Amino acid sequence: MKIRIAVFAVAACLTLPSAATSEADHTLYFNEPAQKWENGGLPIGNGSLGGVLFGGVERGVMQFNVDSLWTGNENAAGHYRNEIKGGRFGSYQNFGALIVEQASGGKVPQGYRRQLDIQRSLHTTRWKVGEVTYTREAIASNPDQVIVWRLSADQPGQISTRVKLEGTHPGLEKVTYEAGGVELRGQLPNKLQYEARVSVRATGGKLTTLADSVSVQSADEVLIILAADTNYVMDHTQGWMRANPAGKVVPRMKAALTKSWSELIKSHQSDYSALYDRVVLDLGKTSPDVALRPINQRIQNYRDHAKDLPRPCLDPELEAMLFNYGRYLLISCSRKGTLPANLQGLWANSNKPAWFSDYHSNINLQMNYWLSETTNLPELSQPLFAMLSAGAPVYRKHTAAKYGADTQGFVTRMSINPYGGCGWNWNIEGTAWLSQHFWESYQFSLDKEFLKKSAWPWMRDVSLFWLPRLKALPDGSLVVPNAWSHEHGPHEDGTAHAQQLMWDLFTSTLKAAELLDTDPELQKRLKTALAKLYGPKIGSWGQLMEWMEEKELEKGNHRHTSHLFAVHPGNQITMTGQPKLAAAARVSLTKRGEVGDSRRSWTWAWRTALWSRLGDAERAHGCVAGLLAYNTLDNLWTTHPPFQIDGNLGIPAGMAEMFLQSHAGEISLLPALPKVYPNGSVKGLRARGDVIVDMIWKNGKLTGATLTTKHDQVVKVRMPGAQSPREIRLKAGEAKNLF
């Protein structure tokens, strides 16, 4: 990705004693409306439909998106720019804005507060004019597939407002006001149809439909319901489009209109809390004078003290909120039946967003989904597997055009769109990395049906592409030809990144084939290739070599840590299994640094996970602090710059590695607990083998741990500081207390 240079210094800090989680862990609030979308808006989402609210009083704006509103097509030519003939990669689009206008009668609002409660998935704006308190609440409901905006007051007859709907594609769409609502219909140049409907329902007062708005006078309560979608379908045989969006939008609106606000919010929060409440993290109590500040002031306070020596950690609950916010955002932008989270998740306010808000396959897309397994949200990865599997026939077609009609399997270019189209450079190792997600899903769930029907076809076909393309060196070892250490240095044979990906791909594909008792010929080929695969090497200054021959580039800082894939998210190099290689990886990671080019939203998250895997708790926490201090906006969105969601979605996974690891054939408890969290607890983290782990610690020592699972099994558990793990027998459905 394109870069900007910055300067860095940050590290760890000390916290106050642990306490139960509170509003300070779960509520982002401001004491003024947002001035800018990127660093002031607050997001809601139901997976496919999302909104960003500004919180204005006289003019309230909710900018909204639908995940499938994309230009472009299958892009056979592979060009990355829209205007090139022979195919278009396309871009994610801003759908529009829902606006409420509400006069304050010339009086100055008092006691203003807007907040996002991520524990309840509820946005609220509240203020007082005279003796009347006004409240606006907004939810994005997954069960009802609508956004609902409720306007109310603590006295009857006080709500007078106008409701408007604005699109962002002049000339391509039509807006019509009728029967207490608004309809917006349009069609993009690629023939994708889209539609939004808004219904305004007033309790008391008078409702009038005008030519350019819906007017409500003197109501007790107003409900504004938004339903929106496109005619996109995740099926290349239907040209990725079917029928028209009214078939989805109209039934949703009709169903929602039969329900009261209390019914709508109850079903929404029941659905949401079933996911969010699985994990509870307590990292200590923030002092009230800090915890009660607006979120932008809390973050600025954190920035201001990030360089202090000694470094007092003034806001441990802000760090817990960063963890929780990532989970909130993935729940809000990735649900069954939706597209996966793109570079901005679900939320974009431009028709030309940075990097088109695409699916980047050299770290960003993968990082978006690391948290789904470890923080116990496995079903949220379903959109990733669905889109990749749906795109495979198109990837296969493009691969054959590039590499020959007799080519087995497939690969992709760096950037992926929802139509199977790809753009920019061929990132042919990227499909191997994406294979890891299929395999990890099985490792965490032990779901053989998923392994057989979803994971195996992808892993098999990617392996079939790679096996005949490896290059034999004079000594017989096999390397990936003309590979890249992403966005760093030249393309050369046998880069560490490519070799590590092949080891990961072939190892997991072989294990899958053995588990499924299938394809003995492929098993034989994989075993042979693994035996000859060129492996990790240690260089002259103790580093894990990035290329087959040493380069000065290795000694400079850089945002990518591609050659450390084997440490995380891979498991080819572990502290217990390959200690010398792990030590070399530590040397390389230290050289990469956390300054200048190394400061990106996503780099902090990856480095947090890497340092945790390497057992350096303080460096791991320093990266959490670095993300907050240097690459986090005032609304807790992370920035590359500009805003990218991978830092938000990646950091919970990185932090989870501090508390629980299970990649090395054992479950390791508190493997990288920083000194900044002397007292705390975590409930609901997930280890491989579908084991749920609860822990509590005091004065830096583990004092309680419970394991539960759905499967009878024997697991190896390593207690903090132990020289070796011990075997623990687990029974399905029974909690095993280790103390």
Side-chain angles (χ1 to χ4, degrees):
M1 292 193 162
K2 295 180 181 177
I3 60 169
R4 298 175 187 172
I5 302 299
V7 185
F8 166 82
V10 75
C13 40
L14 297 174
T15 88
L16 298 168
S18 177
T21 60
S22 67
E23 181 179 288
D25 294 282
H26 304 284
T27 303
L28 295 74
Y29 94 89
F30 291 87
N31 58 11
E32 60 184 5
Q35 300 301 314
K36 295 182 180 179
W37 179 91
E38 184 178 54
N39 69 353
L42 292 172
I44 59 174
N46 68 11
S48 63
L49 175 62
V52 174
L53 293 107
F54 287 69
V57 172
E58 294 192 339
R59 190 173 190 270
V61 177
M62 181 192 297
Q63 179 271 331
F64 68 95
N65 296 94
V66 167
D67 63 344
S68 55
L69 191 66
W70 265 81
T71 58
N73 54 33
E74 292 185 359
N75 197 31
H79 297 298
Y80 199 42
R81 299 294 172 183
N82 289 345
E83 66 272 11
I84 304 296
K85 291 183 179 179
R88 296 190 174 197
F89 181 78
S91 179
Y92 189 44
Q93 301 289 288
N94 174 9
F95 202 120
L98 184 58
I99 300 163
V100 295
E101 296 177 342
Q102 185 172 336
S104 60
K107 297 181 180 180
V108 178
Q110 302 294 320
Y112 176 94
R113 178 180 172 118
R114 64 184 173 100
Q115 70 176 40
L116 177 63
D117 182 342
I118 59 176
Q119 190 169 31
R120 300 173 62 211
S121 187
L122 174 66
H123 182 282
T124 305
T125 307
R126 184 170 286 118
W127 69 94
K128 190 172 185 178
V129 175
E131 298 301 315
V132 181
T133 298
Y134 296 88
T135 302
R136 292 187 190 141
E137 299 162 283
I139 59 172
S141 169
N142 180 266
D144 290 293
Q145 286 295 295
V146 293
I147 284 177
V148 187
W149 210 356
R150 179 183 183 240
L151 285 57
S152 64
D154 64 351
Q155 296 182 27
Q158 297 297 317
I159 305 299
S160 295
T161 188
R162 284 195 176 193
V163 180
K164 298 180 178 180
L165 180 64
E166 296 179 354
T168 68
H169 298 87
L172 300 179
E173 59 198 18
K174 182 179 180 180
V175 179
T176 306
Y177 290 84
E178 57 183 21
V182 196
E183 293 182 6
L184 184 157
R185 294 194 183 99
Q187 180 173 291
L188 298 177
N190 63 352
K191 308 301 182 186
L192 184 78
Q193 297 176 37
Y194 58 100
E195 181 171 323
R197 296 195 178 204
V198 176
S199 290
V200 182
R201 190 171 70 189
T203 301
K206 181 181 179 181
L207 187 150
T208 307
T209 304
L210 306 175
D212 64 347
S213 62
V214 176
S215 173
V216 178
Q217 295 294 319
S218 303
D220 300 334
E221 174 191 84
V222 174
L223 283 189
I224 305 168
I225 301 174
L226 168 67
D229 215 322
T230 74
N231 68 335
Y232 172 85
V233 292
M234 203 178 284
D235 185 348
H236 78 102
T237 65
Q238 300 194 49
W240 303 100
M241 301 171 199
R242 182 175 60 207
N244 64 69
K248 306 176 191 176
V249 174
V250 172
R252 293 171 189 167
M253 182 61 76
K254 287 183 177 179
L257 285 171
T258 67
K259 300 179 181 180
S260 66
W261 166 252
S262 60
E263 290 172 321
L264 289 163
I265 195 171
K266 182 178 180 181
S267 61
H268 159 64
Q269 291 184 344
S270 175
D271 165 79
Y272 175 80
S273 63
L275 297 167
Y276 185 85
D277 290 350
R278 288 178 187 172
V279 173
V280 180
L281 177 65
D282 172 16
L283 299 179
K285 190 73 172 175
T286 298
S287 60
D289 68 307
V290 173
L292 296 177
R293 298 178 189 180
I295 186 64
N296 55 322
Q297 294 180 23
R298 288 177 70 180
I299 294 172
Q300 188 57 54
N301 180 68
Y302 198 100
R303 296 179 190 127
D304 292 343
H305 291 87
K307 300 176 185 178
D308 288 354
L309 290 173
R311 296 179 175 91
C313 189
L314 300 178
D315 205 341
E317 288 182 285
L318 180 63
E319 296 181 9
M321 187 189 293
L322 187 67
F323 175 90
N324 291 326
Y325 195 43
R327 297 188 302 119
Y328 165 82
L329 291 170
L330 192 63
I331 295 169
S332 302
C333 72
S334 186
R335 293 291 201 102
K336 184 177 181 179
T338 74
L339 282 164
N342 63 42
L343 280 175
Q344 292 184 215
L346 175 60
W347 303 276
N349 70 333
S350 169
N351 290 333
K352 295 182 179 179
W355 302 287
F356 310 113
S357 281
D358 65 19
Y359 301 99
H360 250 58
S361 64
N362 69 336
I363 176 58
N364 315 90
L365 175 57
Q366 290 91 334
M367 181 176 286
N368 281 355
Y369 284 93
W370 287 347
L371 72 90
S372 66
E373 300 296 348
T374 54
T375 71
N376 200 9
L377 297 169
E379 56 268 72
L380 302 190
S381 284
Q382 189 275 343
L384 175 66
F385 301 135
M387 187 189 77
L388 293 175
S389 298
V394 183
Y395 309 152
R396 198 183 313 278
K397 181 171 60 177
H398 293 172
T399 301
K402 170 69 175 178
Y403 293 96
D406 60 345
T407 302
Q408 289 187 294
F410 56 83
V411 286
T412 72
R413 291 177 181 267
M414 182 73 73
S415 297
I416 300 171
N417 73 20
Y419 308 112
C422 301
W424 198 26
N425 298 328
W426 281 95
N427 177 31
I428 56 179
E429 302 96 342
T431 44
W433 192 336
L434 290 166
S435 293
Q436 184 192 59
H437 285 258
F438 286 92
W439 175 242
E440 287 285 84
S441 181
Y442 168 74
Q443 293 242 88
F444 276 89
S445 68
L446 304 181
D447 183 348
K448 268 200 171 181
E449 191 70 10
F450 170 83
L451 181 65
K452 179 180 179 180
K453 292 185 176 179
S454 296
W456 172 248
W458 178 279
M459 297 166 68
R460 176 199 63 210
D461 286 1
V462 175
S463 294
L464 287 173
F465 174 88
W466 275 110
L467 283 167
R469 278 174 172 74
L470 298 180
K471 177 180 177 180
L473 299 179
D475 66 357
S477 59
L478 298 176
V479 296
V480 176
N482 193 34
W484 200 17
S485 191
H486 284 289
E487 302 185 34
H488 192 218
H491 287 70
E492 290 186 356
D493 294 347
T495 66
H497 180 63
Q499 295 302 119
Q500 292 167 12
L501 281 170
M502 288 308 107
W503 184 91
D504 194 86
L505 171 67
F506 294 164
T507 300
S508 59
T509 305
L510 177 59
K511 289 179 180 177
E514 291 172 342
L515 283 165
L516 296 172
D517 192 20
T518 189
D519 210 331
E521 178 58 30
L522 179 57
Q523 290 188 41
K524 186 184 300 184
R525 293 176 67 191
L526 290 167
K527 288 177 182 177
T528 300
L530 279 167
K532 297 180 179 181
L533 202 62
Y534 185 87
K537 298 292 185 292
I538 299 174
S540 62
W541 43 278
Q543 85 281 21
L544 191 70
M545 292 182 66
E546 191 166 359
W547 293 275
M548 293 180 69
E549 295 181 357
E550 293 188 352
K551 302 182 190 301
E552 283 298 310
L553 285 170
E554 291 181 279
K555 296 182 179 180
N557 69 73
H558 194 270
R559 60 198 179 280
H560 280 273
T561 47
S562 302
H563 62 310
L564 303 182
F565 171 90
V567 177
H568 182 281
N571 66 349
Q572 186 179 5
I573 297 174
T574 67
M575 293 278 289
T576 54
Q578 299 79 26
K580 291 183 179 179
L581 290 174
R586 187 178 298 109
V587 171
S588 290
L589 187 56
T590 301
K591 275 291 184 182
R592 268 300 195 263
E594 286 131 8
V595 301
D597 178 55
S598 294
R599 288 190 194 162
R600 309 291 160 198
S601 53
W602 53 272
T603 61
W604 296 112
W606 197 353
R607 282 164 165 78
T608 301
L610 286 166
W611 282 122
S612 295
R613 288 270 177 102
L614 294 171
D616 195 324
E618 306 317 312
R619 292 295 296 269
H621 178 264
C623 292
V624 177
L627 178 59
L628 272 168
Y630 293 99
N631 289 88
T632 298
L633 298 165
D634 287 348
N635 58 357
L636 212 59
W637 264 346
T638 58
T639 180
H640 182 71
F643 158 56
Q644 274 185 211
I645 207 160
D646 40 28
N648 284 118
L649 301 186
I651 200 64
M655 294 175 72
E657 295 287 335
M658 296 176 174
F659 311 117
L660 179 68
Q661 295 176 17
S662 62
H663 62 288
E666 61 187 40
I667 296 173
S668 182
L669 307 182
L670 301 185
L673 181 68
K675 293 177 182 178
V676 299
Y677 309 141
N679 304 301
S681 63
V682 64
K683 172 182 177 292
L685 291 181
R686 192 170 184 234
R688 289 162 183 82
D690 200 15
V691 179
I692 306 302
V693 181
D694 302 341
M695 290 177 284
I696 187 167
W697 60 93
K698 293 182 180 179
N699 299 318
K701 303 294 183 182
L702 185 67
T703 57
T706 303
L707 277 59
T708 56
T709 183
K710 300 173 185 175
H711 316 271
D712 289 342
Q713 58 180 308
V714 175
V715 298
K716 293 181 179 179
V717 177
R718 185 182 294 268
M719 305 297 280
Q723 293 299 308
S724 59
R726 58 176 175 167
E727 288 192 346
I728 304 291
R729 184 173 297 277
L730 302 178
K731 292 185 178 181
E734 292 185 9
K736 180 69 174 181
N737 191 335
L738 302 186
F739 282 79

